[in-house]
Amino acid sequence: MIVAKFGGTSVGTAQNIQKVIQIIAGKQGNSIVVVSALGGITNMLIKASELALQGDEAYIKMINEIESRHIEAISSLFGSKKNGSKDFLSGQIRHLSDTLKGVYMLNDLSDKSLARIVSIGEILSSFIVTEAMQTNGLQALLQDSRSLIKTDSNYSNAAVDYAQTYKNIKEFIKNNHIKIVVVPGFIASDTKNNTTTLGRGGSDFTGAIFANAVNAKVLEIWTDVSGMFTANPQIVKQAKPIETISYQEAMELSHFGAKVIYPPTIQPALDKKIPILIKNTMAPEDAGTLITEKTEKDSTIVKGISHIDQISLLTLEGNGMVGVPGISKRLFGALAQNNVNVKFITQASSEHSICFAVDLGDAEISKKSVDQVFEYEILQHKINPVVVENELAIIALVGDNMKSHQGISGKMFSSLGNNNVNIRAIAQGSTEKNISAVIAKKDVKKALNSLHAAFFENQVRQINLFIAGVGNVGSKLLDQISRQQKFLREKLNIEMRVVALSNSKKMLFEEEGIDLKNWNGKLEAAQDAADLDIFFEKVDQLNLRNSVFVDNTANEKVTDQYEKYLKKSIAVVACNKIACSSAYPNYLSLKSLSREYNAPFLFETNVGAGLPIIDNLQNMVNSGDEIQEIQAVLSGSLNFIFNHFDENNSFYEVVKKAGEAGYTEPDPRIDLSGVDVMRKILILVRESGVKMELGEIENASFLPVSSLKAITVDDFMKTLISDADHFNELRERASGKGCKLKFVAEFNRGKAKVGLKEIPAGHPFYNLDGKDNIVLFYTNRYTDQPLIIKGAGAGAEVTASGIFADIIRTINK
Ligand code: ADP
Ligand code: ASP
Ligand code: MG
């Protein structure tokens, strides 16, 4: 004999009921089939009762909906075939209407009536399923479980009288030799034969009660997912079905919210060591999950992660608790008296406070009853009134083998900490089958996903990017990400997703990651107008793990946003130089926020595009070296310009060409005035540990007065033509001495300066080609020969690669 329970989705439509029939038809021996109400019907019955109680006539509409859901199933199951289901439905609907009318008129709804009302869901489904089986030629008998399962009179969550119930079921089976017995799940009756229910999700429990009574070979729970998953598959996309799991582990997971099995189900099966098999009605070929006794073979350490939403945390605190025996007894006694189920308890060894968690709905009565019990101590100011905190959740890590492994809780809490999930309370029983933590409800999704990644996903790390600026550099970055995504996944176990994009006009968010093949079109078609504050709010609300804000703009307003991101532990990667070259206190504040909130703030591309200049500099400083002197050519743009400026190409033409190729800033004056190089040397000086402002840097400009005075970019470009002689003279003077012109930045003895220099042959700067950059660091360790970093220092492609590298660095830091 086997017992097979089919849940709400499994019997929710005619199509699914046919699948149920096929599954049962394929069984060899006898079966007891337990069915839930059609999916969603129990909720609708409860809602209709509430509406009627509130005097809202919408309850009638709800009855009609309930009726039509069943008519739809009946019509497609039986078509024009003769059937009793239709009349049975009419009778039950009439009964429901009468009862709810009574509730509506009397403005009264007792638990007893509610149990009677919700039982209609299972009464209907079991009738329809039985008749459908019979119509398909199966030998099936319907038996109302209310005449077999006996309970107390706690109507909504009744306690089973096992002795009586098992006796009834055994007798019934002995007297009825039928291949298939169909019974409604969830419902039972008390000693006076009033209908009671076994609690929400209770049909699983019905199945276990029958399985125990008949010594079933197996209890099959047929549902809408392919087993018990490593985490709720609706929240964690990467979750996988667990092959086998022990009764204890299944019990822990279900107690902590794995709704796939109702917690009381396990005990009756465990008492008789009956295996429970969770299967998917919609995919019967999938293996599912087998719940059995723990085997030595099973060495999995963490089996699953689950959570309970809507938790309140209550804290009782005060000096009057220290060393006083009986406090816990009074506290939990008061809760028990009020039928409050305590989900979580912690007490520090100082005994100064006890912290416990209950369902949100129980918070008020819990506070009231505990405050009452400690009324005297509260009046004496020895204990404070209970403090209640809401909007919380419990997450739990479950596994029988956790006790024999170190480092599990360390890994759990560091993974949560790295993702800015604040832990309010922690509990771990001495059996170590479960480590649980109370966190904010809003963090549940992020917490479950990061824990899942840490414990189950072969260390696949997800990076979620929020990108501002899709111009020259930004679009190259998106190209590179798109090309590299597969490689990152396969070789580095990194899942890089672009979740949001913004240009100056529009912004686009796609939580599952934007398809980079067509980001352009999608951004253009996006609904939302660009707004930096709303952009931040959305990032914050999404609350995804390993989030990185990427600034590819040259816009000061964007840099004003960094602080907010860092304070949420969101990493910031920027090629925008404005933040790091702004006023020193601002730079310093961003650096310390980054440290305080454990959020990387990376800006390697601020100096020398993709060249690893800042990273090396930071490594030297962090390892105790001191920077004595810096000599550098830091403007790829100016280097390009002076390398191409000769007798055949006028200064104006070269500047124009550099602009068109994207080697200069959109406003070339930022490069030619030396301001860009000033910012770069300033950043290097600051990263060397020296406090300096931009205004302290000496800048001997090579531009003539007319160029410096020009107001618009166009005017400025014109002065390059009118003052051509000035530039030619600079060139000729240098070449006359066998020198080349280079725009050099220097830092020495606490002072920094930038300016055009004549560089003689043999100097390391002399042969600097194209748009290359070079930096010479003289330090305590590099005294005679400097550390030299040299290479392509400008251009969108190399800058984008530098940003890419910084993004990867955010998760390796
Ligand atoms: P049924 O109506 O068949 O009893 P339920 O809705 O009660 O189905 O339970 C199945 C649902 O449980 C799944 O659809 C899934 O959303 C949810 N669930 C939560 N946690 C888990 C988990 N760890 N594994 C599988 N399902 C889970
Ligand atoms: N129909 C009941 C409920 O929705 C029982 C069950 O489905 O297990 O809670
Ligand atoms: Mg269920």
Side-chain angles (χ1 to χ4, degrees):
M1 174 91 78
I2 66 139
V3 175
K5 175 259 168 176
F6 292 88
T9 314
S10 306
V11 295
T13 60
Q15 208 184 9
N16 288 352
I17 293 176
Q18 293 293 3
K19 292 187 178 128
V20 171
I21 294 174
Q22 264 176 30
I23 290 166
I24 293 299
K27 303 272 181 211
Q28 295 286 321
N30 293 356
S31 318
I32 295 174
V33 175
V34 181
V35 292
S36 289
L38 273 62
I41 295 294
T42 311
N43 284 345
M44 289 162 91
L45 287 164
I46 293 171
K47 183 81 198 157
S49 311
E50 285 167 357
L51 289 170
L53 179 65
Q54 289 155 11
D56 187 338
E57 282 189 0
Y59 83 88
I60 299 173
K61 224 174 110 206
M62 196 59 88
I63 299 179
N64 293 339
E65 270 179 55
I66 293 171
E67 184 174 22
S68 43
R69 275 283 307 280
H70 288 88
I71 290 182
E72 214 178 289
I74 293 170
S75 317
S76 62
L77 278 171
F78 303 106
S80 56
K81 283 190 213 125
K82 201 169 144 326
N83 72 82
S85 292
K86 222 172 184 165
D87 288 345
F88 187 74
L89 174 66
S90 307
Q92 290 294 323
I93 292 292
R94 219 174 306 121
H95 170 62
L96 175 64
S97 302
D98 292 348
T99 318
L100 287 180
K101 190 159 185 192
V103 172
Y104 176 79
M105 306 288 284
L106 298 171
N107 203 2
D108 182 53
L109 175 66
S110 66
D111 281 355
K112 187 170 158 189
S113 317
L114 184 61
R116 184 72 195 89
I117 293 166
V118 293
S119 71
I120 291 174
E122 269 72 9
I123 290 172
L124 283 171
S125 65
S126 55
F127 190 97
I128 296 167
V129 169
T130 312
E131 194 171 40
M133 285 183 170
Q134 291 163 346
T135 309
N136 277 273
L138 301 186
Q139 191 199 8
L141 170 80
L142 174 64
Q143 170 61 32
D144 191 334
S145 33
R146 285 176 297 182
S147 57
L148 302 175
I149 303 183
K150 300 307 286 185
T151 67
D152 66 6
S153 299
N154 184 2
Y155 296 99
S156 61
N157 206 347
V160 175
D161 174 350
Y162 286 104
Q164 186 62 47
T165 300
Y166 290 155
K167 190 163 155 261
N168 293 346
I169 296 174
K170 279 184 183 137
E171 234 161 70
F172 170 80
I173 292 296
K174 205 168 88 195
N175 298 330
N176 290 279
H177 297 279
I178 302 277
K179 186 149 192 305
I180 302 161
V181 178
V182 180
V183 297
F186 181 51
I187 60 175
S189 69
D190 67 5
T191 47
K192 293 195 184 123
N193 294 330
N194 293 311
T195 300
T196 59
T197 59
L198 303 176
R200 293 304 309 270
S203 298
D204 298 339
F205 187 26
T206 306
I209 294 168
F210 274 92
N212 181 307
V214 303
N215 268 322
K217 209 165 72 195
V218 58
L219 165 61
E220 295 178 352
I221 302 285
W222 291 84
T223 182
D224 55 4
V225 284
S226 294
M228 190 170 228
F229 280 58
T230 44
N232 184 343
Q234 276 174 0
I235 304 179
V236 179
K237 293 278 174 309
Q238 313 292 334
K240 298 260 167 349
I242 302 166
E243 239 172 82
T244 59
I245 184 167
S246 74
Y247 291 114
Q248 278 77 14
E249 288 169 328
M251 197 133 43
E252 292 283 350
L253 279 176
S254 66
H255 266 296
F256 277 90
K259 182 187 168 215
V260 65
I261 191 155
Y262 181 50
T265 310
I266 315 282
Q267 197 60 49
L270 169 61
D271 287 345
K272 289 270 182 79
K273 309 257 183 291
I274 298 166
I276 304 173
L277 184 60
I278 303 180
K279 295 276 288 179
N280 188 347
T281 306
M282 275 52 73
E285 63 288 351
D286 288 356
T289 298
L290 183 66
I291 308 177
T292 56
E293 280 196 283
K294 176 174 161 34
T295 60
E296 290 309 316
K297 264 196 353 236
D298 187 353
S299 60
T300 320
I301 300 162
V302 177
K303 265 293 159 63
I305 309 164
S306 55
H307 82 286
I308 321 178
D309 256 342
Q310 308 285 13
I311 286 291
S312 297
L313 191 65
L314 289 84
T315 308
L316 184 71
E317 194 179 6
N319 293 329
M321 292 166 63
V322 182
V324 180
I327 297 275
S328 316
K329 183 177 170 213
R330 287 164 66 198
L331 166 60
F332 294 111
L335 296 171
Q337 244 174 18
N338 286 285
N339 273 331
V340 174
N341 181 16
V342 179
K343 310 251 172 195
F344 178 106
I345 307 167
T346 60
Q347 179 185 23
S349 58
S350 72
E351 298 181 30
H352 185 259
S353 69
I354 300 179
C355 185
F356 59 98
V358 300
D359 277 335
L360 177 66
D362 287 336
E364 207 182 308
I365 180 78
S366 302
K367 175 174 166 53
K368 212 167 129 198
S369 58
V370 176
D371 281 350
Q372 215 164 34
V373 158
F374 293 101
E375 198 178 2
Y376 175 74
E377 285 88 343
I378 292 172
L379 271 173
Q380 302 274 313
H381 299 290
K382 287 187 171 154
I383 291 182
N384 303 330
V386 169
V387 175
V388 183
E389 292 166 88
N390 296 326
E391 295 293 307
L392 298 172
I394 302 179
I395 47 167
L397 215 60
V398 169
D400 283 342
N401 293 331
M402 292 197 314
K403 60 177 173 298
S404 42
H405 284 82
Q406 294 78 31
I408 305 291
S409 45
K411 189 166 168 187
M412 174 175 177
F413 298 127
S414 64
S415 157
L416 294 174
N418 288 340
N419 283 285
N420 197 26
V421 175
N422 191 20
I423 298 165
R424 299 299 329 281
I426 299 168
Q428 178 185 23
S430 59
T431 58
E432 288 184 46
K433 287 181 194 315
N434 175 324
I435 309 174
S436 30
V438 176
I439 62 170
K441 210 177 106 191
K442 69 171 178 41
D443 286 334
V444 162
K445 188 170 177 191
K446 184 164 72 173
L448 291 180
N449 277 283
S450 40
L451 289 178
H452 198 270
F455 287 98
F456 295 102
E457 288 172 31
N458 206 5
Q459 296 306 321
V460 170
R461 291 171 299 172
Q462 193 179 70
I463 307 184
N464 293 295
L465 302 180
F466 302 87
I467 300 181
V470 291
N472 241 343
V473 172
S475 55
K476 286 278 181 312
L477 174 66
L478 291 170
D479 280 354
Q480 291 182 11
I481 296 172
S482 172
R483 267 184 275 129
Q484 296 287 315
Q485 264 166 338
K486 190 161 172 271
F487 172 84
L488 291 174
R489 200 177 304 121
E490 288 169 4
K491 299 281 186 248
L492 301 180
N493 277 331
I494 290 175
E495 185 73 41
M496 193 182 279
R497 311 188 308 174
V498 177
V499 179
L501 284 177
S502 178
N503 57 18
S504 55
K505 296 188 192 72
K506 294 273 184 76
M507 56 188 191
L508 170 71
F509 277 78
E510 279 184 26
E511 195 181 338
E512 297 306 321
I514 296 165
D515 176 7
L516 294 182
K517 301 271 167 331
N518 180 30
W519 64 265
N520 234 327
K522 284 195 159 180
L523 181 59
E524 223 162 85
Q527 300 289 323
D528 295 330
D531 182 309
L532 291 167
D533 293 323
I534 298 176
F535 191 87
F536 165 75
E537 276 157 30
K538 285 195 170 196
V539 177
D540 185 33
Q541 269 160 21
L542 279 171
N543 203 6
L544 299 173
R545 68 198 143 122
N546 297 327
S547 290
V548 184
F549 175 63
V550 183
D551 176 8
N552 297 322
T553 72
N555 185 333
E556 187 174 350
K557 290 217 169 65
V558 181
T559 66
D560 292 341
Q561 301 281 324
Y562 296 176
E563 184 181 334
K564 290 197 282 190
Y565 285 94
L566 294 172
K567 281 185 173 166
K568 293 285 177 184
S569 294
I570 295 170
V572 174
V573 168
C575 65
N576 187 341
K577 294 188 242 331
I578 296 175
C580 287
S581 55
S582 64
Y584 187 74
N586 188 43
Y587 156 84
L588 204 62
S589 145
L590 292 174
K591 296 282 286 188
S592 59
L593 284 177
S594 158
R595 259 192 309 274
E596 187 182 341
Y597 290 90
N598 196 17
F601 171 39
L602 301 175
F603 42 88
E604 180 62 86
T605 48
N606 280 194
V607 181
L611 292 178
I613 298 173
I614 294 177
D615 195 42
N616 276 305
L617 172 57
Q618 286 175 344
N619 285 341
M620 287 190 282
V621 173
N622 291 340
S623 62
D625 201 358
E626 246 176 89
I627 312 299
Q628 301 297 346
E629 188 181 339
I630 302 172
Q631 297 245 0
V633 175
L634 293 174
S635 171
S637 333
L638 288 178
N639 206 36
F640 176 91
I641 289 168
F642 286 110
N643 279 340
H644 288 81
F645 175 36
D646 55 26
E647 348 16 305
N648 304 320
N649 297 287
S650 73
F651 195 69
Y652 165 79
E653 277 164 19
V654 178
V655 172
K656 192 160 164 271
K657 214 158 95 189
E660 282 161 2
Y663 296 152
T664 62
E665 299 281 326
D667 180 348
R669 287 174 298 180
I670 296 178
D671 293 303
L672 289 161
S673 66
V675 169
D676 187 56
V677 176
M678 282 165 76
R679 285 179 179 160
K680 288 174 177 167
I681 189 75
L682 179 70
I683 294 168
L684 294 186
V685 169
R686 287 175 170 179
E687 287 295 309
S688 304
V690 174
K691 176 174 180 280
M692 189 179 278
E693 294 290 357
L694 197 66
E696 294 171 49
I697 300 174
E698 202 183 308
N699 179 359
S701 179
F702 65 88
L703 291 174
V705 181
S706 60
S707 307
L708 291 171
K709 279 193 177 156
I711 292 170
T712 65
V713 175
D714 275 354
D715 289 347
F716 173 78
M717 292 302 286
K718 280 181 198 144
T719 67
L720 302 187
I721 302 174
S722 55
D723 269 314
D725 287 350
H726 168 82
F727 298 106
N728 290 335
E729 256 169 49
L730 288 175
R731 177 174 53 76
E732 281 157 15
R733 201 183 313 139
S735 62
K737 296 180 199 163
C739 292
K740 284 189 184 175
L741 287 173
K742 300 284 166 196
F743 196 84
V744 176
E746 289 168 286
F747 167 68
N748 196 355
R749 294 171 208 274
K751 293 221 172 327
K753 60 179 179 191
V754 302
L756 200 61
K757 279 195 154 186
E758 295 170 344
I759 304 291
H763 189 282
F765 294 174
Y766 187 83
N767 284 324
L768 203 60
D769 291 334
K771 50 192 185 334
D772 283 4
N773 277 194
I774 184 166
V775 186
L776 316 185
F777 286 112
Y778 293 90
T779 74
N780 286 358
R781 289 181 199 148
Y782 295 94
T783 42
D784 301 335
Q785 288 300 321
L787 173 78
I788 303 180
I789 300 170
K790 179 181 167 189
E797 194 78 52
V798 281
T799 307
S801 336
I803 298 171
F804 200 113
D806 269 353
I807 291 170
I808 301 282
R809 249 177 236 145
T810 61
I811 55 166
N812 291 333
K813 284 233 161 182

